[in-house]
Amino acid sequence: MILHQGRPEDTEGRLPREVRTYDFLDSLAIPYLRTDHGRADNMEACNEIDAVLGVLICKNLFLCNRQKTKFYLLMMPGDKKFKTKELSSQIGSARLSFAGEDAMLKYLDIEPGAVSIMGLMNDHDKDVQLLIDEDVLKDEFIGCHPCVCTSSLKIRTADVMEKFLPATGHSYVTVHLIGED
């Protein structure tokens, strides 16, 4: 894996959702580093990418309530364990579960394995509430996918919070996850 500055020179063969991500970041003048790789749809593969990027890729979980009327994108450190009960009590939503592939496509234009904060640029109706574990906000950089699981980005946390999110019209709720047994 090689670390590149910004978007690929040639976008032929790349999915439109990935190219739109680069277009969006470039339109906001947000610098980023990128690496291309094989399918990264598990945390083990992400650990290898972390080493190249020099940043911990966030674990991104797309969740919903039991009625499937509220959707949440949770960003948390990749090395923390997720406990539904711990999060449910903080956001006042009982019975959280993983949202299905159809909902991922509908709201974020993302497929399983590529869930990322970048998908919020596709949530024009603001149906998804962003939840961020406080430890993610402590890091200088965020590692994430550009809406596909075959590339990864390293972006300054401040740029994501101060430029990207306002441009998408999304706010976030900070949560405190212990993630221990």
Side-chain angles (χ1 to χ4, degrees):
M1 285 182 274
I2 299 170
L3 205 54
H4 303 277
Q5 185 109 16
R7 70 185 305 125
E9 288 181 26
D10 181 11
T11 58
E12 187 174 327
R14 294 186 185 258
L15 292 175
R17 63 174 61 112
E18 179 183 5
V19 176
R20 280 195 316 270
T21 303
Y22 302 136
D23 291 344
F24 194 73
L25 291 171
D26 293 347
S27 74
L28 298 171
I30 295 177
Y32 53 94
L33 296 175
R34 173 188 52 83
T35 188
D36 299 322
H37 46 74
R39 244 182 109 70
D41 51 9
N42 60 61
M43 287 314 295
E44 291 77 27
C46 289
N47 289 340
E48 293 176 27
I49 298 161
D50 290 349
V52 172
L53 291 176
V55 66
L56 186 69
I57 290 186
C58 291
K59 184 185 297 184
N60 293 276
L61 305 177
F62 190 50
L63 307 167
C64 63
N65 63 359
R66 186 163 117 189
Q67 300 81 7
K68 297 184 180 176
T69 56
K70 293 188 179 191
F71 293 88
Y72 305 93
L73 175 60
L74 171 64
M75 291 177 66
M76 61 187 289
D79 56 356
K80 256 189 194 182
K81 290 182 181 175
F82 172 65
K83 293 188 167 195
T84 308
K85 184 178 178 183
E86 188 178 29
L87 179 62
S88 294
S89 63
Q90 290 183 56
I91 64 171
S93 181
R95 312 273 296 189
L96 286 176
S97 63
F98 292 98
E101 184 175 344
D102 291 346
M104 281 183 206
L105 283 169
K106 177 180 177 181
Y107 296 111
L108 301 177
D109 190 24
I110 289 181
E111 295 177 340
V115 176
S116 160
I117 191 171
M118 296 293 118
L120 292 176
M121 67 181 222
N122 301 313
D123 179 29
H124 304 292
D125 294 329
K126 316 300 177 278
D127 291 309
V128 179
Q129 173 64 62
L130 178 61
L131 309 172
I132 304 177
D133 180 78
E134 62 191 2
D135 289 338
V136 170
L137 297 171
K138 294 175 184 175
D139 291 332
E140 183 181 359
F141 292 95
I142 289 177
C144 63
H145 295 305
C147 298
V148 295
C149 64
T150 53
S151 292
S152 296
L153 306 176
K154 178 180 181 176
I155 306 173
R156 287 194 179 284
T157 304
D159 286 339
V160 173
M161 299 300 122
E162 297 165 14
K163 294 179 182 178
F164 177 82
L165 285 179
T168 68
H170 285 81
S171 59
Y172 66 94
V173 173
T174 304
V175 295
H176 173 75
L177 303 175
I178 298 170
E180 296 175 358
D181 289 330

